[in-house]
């Protein structure tokens, strides 16, 4: 899959343009001004032609997003399946306390990684361009990565002593291993994404998924059953895949100076770091409060529900976004904000169309899923966790992948600090209020409230930059499809009595999938035919 336009190369300074270009972009984003400057009194024929052109443009953009989804879906699907299998196996090999500590390792690692090193990926994708990546750009980014990772290690050791004082040495070792492996792996995969080597990217994600499943299980079999062995085994898998990805990416790096200066890199990156720090409450606070008010066992219950409810939705959303983000940014630079806004509207419609039915099936089959995948000590404790967590994941994906992309396209990431601030304050406040009396359910409600507040704030901010047309019809149709899908899954599952959970789960999943495909074909026949054709093409290539 190639997003590059023949004969054109995305230049870093194309965003700024000349005065005339900036004037045109600024004064044609308002829908009230877009047409009146050329046609003060447009005829009905002109209006019909304009609406026909817009429909054809949207029809052409849908295959682009579907193609991106199908390219990245196998890699993301495999990593999500690996995470689910690891959850199923590890919860049976180590007790709830150890699994809760393992979850806190990932929480602290992600929190530190997002705040200190993850911004490199966004900065590189935004400033480094795509296609031929210069050695100078990677050398500059590599120096920054080295310094930021060293800072992350120091921060993580301090956090370990505060969060898990009783076992802080083991905890710090696990988090440091997570950070080192993640930094190398993320950097190498980002370069492959910039080089538009999507098949190689998918293959290496497949390798990482296999290693992250096999090595932790092997570590438990050889060494003691503790969160440290599982964490180090998983980090080793990420490190091996990252080294292989780095070797493969280096073969296509071209000689040349950096396409950006260190100042430009930090101007874009520092707000992302601040945004991540401010967003700590939005992403991680509820687990830490669970550990403070209860214990690692309560964290294990919440984390298991979070993984099961989040992974399927995130798999779909990330598959769409992986290829869509570079295309949206490129279209913003080449064609202006209005064009990128239309594409984001299509992205929103596709994301809701695919993610909402998945969430409906998860809620309908939550009892069967937990009985099949988790040991008995986890049963009966999930209750309302699935629907609440699914709602929060949907809000977070819309905020990050649709409205947050608008802010990144305008190169104003510091505006996201405001949105994250509101979300973090809401999550922390709700955690303090709800977790003591409601435990895991209170943590889920706090997460959902913070995600909703963050989404609303992100919408308000992004709409002032580039309005994204809301596909209300698609949202309404998606709700109808989701209700039908969830109802079919629930009814099919309820037919079975006291039988192993695999049978009602398969029956409910099959019924829900059939209803989803049938309703999708009914409401979107053209898109369904395109999806089938692309799936057949992918299978023939495989």
């Amino acid at each position: 899959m190639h997003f590059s336009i023949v004969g054109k190369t995305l230049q870093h300074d194309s965003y700024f343009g000349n005065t005339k270009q900036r004037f045109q972009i600024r004064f044609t984003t308002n829908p009230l001004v877009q047409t009146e400057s050329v046609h003060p009194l447009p005829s009905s024929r002109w209006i019909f032609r304009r609406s026909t052109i817009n429909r054809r443009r949207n029809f052409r953009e849908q295959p682009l997003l579907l193609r991106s989804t199908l390219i990245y879906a196998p890699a993301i699907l495999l990593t999500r399946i690996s995470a689910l299998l690891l959850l199923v196996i590890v919860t049976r090999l180590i007790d709830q306390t150890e699994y809760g500590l393992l979850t806190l390792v990932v929480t602290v690692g992600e929190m530190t990684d997002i705040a200190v090193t993850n911004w490199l990926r966004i900065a590189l994708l935004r400033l480094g361009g795509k296609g031929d990546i210069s050695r100078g750009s990677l050398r500059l980014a590599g120096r920054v990565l080295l310094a930021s990772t060293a800072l992350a290690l120091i921060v993580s050791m301090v956090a370990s002593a505060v969060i898990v004082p009783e076992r802080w040495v083991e905890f710090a070792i696990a988090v440091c291993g997570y950070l080192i492996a993640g930094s190398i792996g993320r950097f190498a995969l980002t370069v492959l994404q910039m080089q538009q080597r999507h098949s190689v990217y998918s293959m290496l994600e497949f390798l990482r998924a296999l290693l992250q499943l096999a090595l932790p299980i092997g570590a438990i079999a050889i060494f003691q059953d503790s969160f440290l062995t599982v964490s180090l085994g998983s980090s080793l898998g990420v490190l091996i895949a990252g080294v292989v990805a780095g070797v493969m990416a280096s073969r296509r790096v071209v000689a040349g100076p950096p396409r950006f200066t260190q100042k430009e890199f930090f101007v874009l990156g520092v707000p992302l770091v601040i945004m991540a720090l401010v967003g700590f409450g939005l992403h991680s606070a509820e687990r830490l409060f669970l550990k403070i008010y209860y214990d690692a066992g309560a964290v294990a219950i919440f984390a298991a529900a979070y993984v099961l409810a989040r992974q399927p939705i995130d798999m779909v959303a990330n598959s769409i976004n992986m290829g869509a983000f570079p295309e949206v940014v490129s279209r913003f630079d080449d064609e202006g904000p209005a064009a990128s806004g239309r594409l984001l509207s299509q992205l929103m419609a596709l994301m809701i169309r695919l993610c909402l039915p998945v969430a409906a099936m998860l809620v309908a089959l939550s009892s069967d899923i937990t009985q099949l995948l988790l040991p008995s000590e986890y049963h009966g404790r999930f209750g309302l966790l699935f629907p609440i967590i699914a709602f929060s994941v949907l809000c977070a994906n819309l905020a990050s992948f649709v409205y947050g992309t608008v802010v990144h396209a305008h190169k104003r990431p510091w505006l996201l600090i405001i949105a994250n601030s509101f979300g973090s304050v809401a999550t922390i406040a709700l955690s303090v209020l709800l977790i003591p009396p409601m435990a895991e359910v209170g943590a889920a409600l706090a997460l959902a409230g913070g995600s909703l507040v963050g989404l609303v704030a992100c919408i308000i901010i992004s709409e002032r930059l580039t309005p994204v047309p809301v596909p209300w019809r698609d949202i309404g149709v998606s709700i109808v499809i989701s209700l039908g899908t969830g109802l079919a899954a629930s009814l099919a599952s309820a037919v079975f009595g006291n039988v192993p959970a695999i049978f009602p789960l398969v029956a409910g999943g099959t019924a829900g999938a059939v209803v989803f495909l049938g309703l999708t074909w009914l409401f979107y026949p053209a898109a369904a035919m395109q999806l089938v054709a692309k799936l057949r093409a992918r299978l023939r290539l495989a």
Side-chain angles (χ1 to χ4, degrees):
M1 176 181 178
H2 297 282
F3 291 127
S4 57
I5 300 174
V6 176
K8 293 184 70 176
T9 303
L10 177 62
Q11 298 295 330
H12 163 60
D13 58 352
S14 61
Y15 166 72
F16 297 97
N18 53 39
T19 304
K20 179 180 178 181
Q21 189 177 28
R22 278 186 282 123
F23 180 88
Q24 291 173 340
I25 290 175
R26 179 177 179 183
F27 288 95
T28 56
T29 54
N30 188 335
L32 298 177
V33 181
Q34 280 180 341
T35 58
E36 291 183 0
S37 59
V38 180
H39 298 277
L41 294 173
S43 65
S44 60
R45 178 181 298 177
W46 184 88
I47 294 174
F48 174 77
R49 290 182 59 195
R50 182 62 179 268
S51 63
T52 303
I53 291 171
N54 287 336
R55 285 197 301 270
R56 289 175 179 173
R57 182 189 293 117
N58 293 340
F59 184 77
R60 289 195 302 269
E61 289 169 348
Q62 283 285 357
L64 182 149
L65 294 174
L66 285 173
R67 187 165 67 249
S68 166
T69 304
L70 292 176
I71 285 175
Y72 283 103
I76 296 175
L77 174 63
L78 290 169
T79 57
R80 304 297 177 178
I81 290 176
S82 174
L84 288 174
L85 289 175
L86 190 63
L87 167 69
V88 173
I89 296 171
V90 169
T91 51
R92 286 169 168 80
L93 296 179
I94 61 177
D95 60 31
Q96 278 190 5
T97 299
E98 295 296 315
Y99 182 71
L101 291 173
L102 177 64
T103 299
L104 288 173
V105 168
V106 177
T107 300
V108 176
E110 283 186 348
M111 179 180 66
T112 309
D113 187 49
I114 290 172
V116 183
T117 62
N118 187 47
W119 62 274
L120 280 165
R121 174 182 174 271
I122 298 175
L124 270 177
L125 286 172
R126 192 65 189 93
L127 299 177
K130 58 185 180 180
D132 293 332
I133 309 303
S134 68
R135 188 171 289 107
S137 296
L138 297 184
R139 188 178 294 115
L140 191 156
R143 290 197 299 267
V144 177
L145 176 66
L146 185 62
S148 60
T149 302
L151 177 61
L153 296 177
I154 297 173
V155 172
S156 67
M157 286 188 285
V158 175
S160 300
V162 174
I163 297 171
V164 190
E166 65 275 16
R167 299 174 66 179
W168 78 271
V169 175
E170 296 174 81
F171 196 84
I173 293 172
V175 174
C176 289
Y178 179 98
L179 289 171
I180 294 172
S183 297
I184 295 173
R186 177 177 287 112
F187 186 74
L189 290 173
T190 298
V191 176
L192 287 174
Q193 190 178 4
M194 295 167 66
Q195 293 172 338
Q196 301 289 285
R197 299 170 67 184
H198 308 296
S199 298
V200 177
Y201 185 103
S202 296
M203 180 186 69
L204 290 168
E205 283 286 65
F206 174 69
L207 174 64
R208 179 174 71 87
L210 288 179
L211 292 174
Q212 281 195 286
L213 178 62
L215 293 181
I217 297 173
I220 294 176
I222 298 173
F223 303 102
Q224 61 179 345
D225 302 341
S226 73
F227 77 95
L228 180 60
T229 57
V230 178
S231 180
L232 291 180
S234 178
S235 298
L236 180 60
V238 176
L239 180 62
I240 293 173
V243 170
V244 175
V247 171
M248 299 188 73
S250 64
R251 296 174 180 174
R252 297 282 185 89
V253 176
V254 300
R259 300 183 63 179
F260 50 86
T261 65
Q262 186 168 327
K263 179 181 178 181
E264 291 171 327
F265 204 57
F266 279 105
V267 165
L268 184 62
V270 169
L272 294 175
V273 174
I274 299 173
M275 179 187 68
L277 292 173
V278 172
F280 150 72
L282 183 60
H283 300 291
S284 308
E286 72 286 342
R287 299 186 187 189
L288 301 184
F289 280 107
L290 268 177
K291 173 64 170 62
I292 293 171
Y293 285 114
Y294 291 90
D295 53 22
V299 178
I301 296 293
F302 176 80
Y306 185 76
V307 170
L308 293 176
R310 172 193 174 188
Q311 296 287 15
I313 301 172
D314 264 4
M315 181 198 73
V316 176
N318 278 282
S319 299
I320 299 170
N321 182 67
M322 288 298 292
F325 179 80
E327 178 62 22
V328 170
V329 171
S330 177
R331 188 165 298 190
F332 179 92
D333 290 329
D334 294 337
E335 302 179 28
S340 64
R342 290 191 298 268
L343 183 57
L344 282 171
S345 179
Q346 299 297 315
L347 171 66
M348 185 194 305
L350 182 61
M351 186 176 294
I352 294 175
R353 189 184 310 163
L354 298 180
C355 290
L356 209 56
V358 172
M361 289 184 64
L362 286 171
V363 173
L365 303 174
S366 59
S367 178
D368 299 320
I369 292 172
T370 55
Q371 289 183 26
L372 177 66
L373 299 182
L374 297 176
S376 57
E377 57 265 28
Y378 289 82
H379 296 174
R381 300 187 60 180
F382 281 23
L384 297 175
L385 291 181
F386 264 66
I388 299 172
I389 292 174
F391 173 78
S392 67
V393 172
L394 289 171
C395 290
N397 284 331
L398 286 175
S400 298
F401 298 153
V402 177
Y403 295 101
T405 301
V406 173
V407 180
H408 289 305
H410 280 270
K411 296 182 181 178
R412 299 180 185 178
W414 56 269
L415 289 174
L416 292 176
I417 298 173
I418 303 173
N420 275 13
S421 299
F422 283 104
S424 292
V425 170
T427 302
I428 293 173
L430 290 173
S431 296
V432 173
L433 291 174
L434 299 177
I435 288 178
M438 302 177 69
E440 297 92 353
V441 175
L445 289 172
L447 178 65
S451 300
L452 180 59
V453 172
L455 172 61
V456 172
C458 199
I459 291 173
I460 294 173
I461 292 170
S462 64
E463 287 295 303
R464 297 176 67 88
L465 299 174
T466 296
V468 177
V470 179
W472 292 112
R473 180 185 178 278
D474 287 284
I475 293 175
V477 171
S478 298
I479 292 174
V480 172
I481 294 175
S482 301
L483 291 175
T485 301
L487 182 61
S490 179
L491 292 176
S493 174
V495 171
F496 293 83
N498 295 324
V499 297
I502 183 66
F503 296 106
L505 185 60
V506 170
T510 303
V514 169
V515 171
F516 167 72
L517 293 175
L519 291 176
T520 300
W521 192 282
L522 177 65
F523 287 106
Y524 303 101
M529 292 177 65
Q530 290 170 358
L531 179 60
V532 171
K534 291 181 184 301
L535 285 173
R536 288 177 178 174
R538 295 282 294 177
L539 292 175
R540 283 197 296 268
L541 290 175

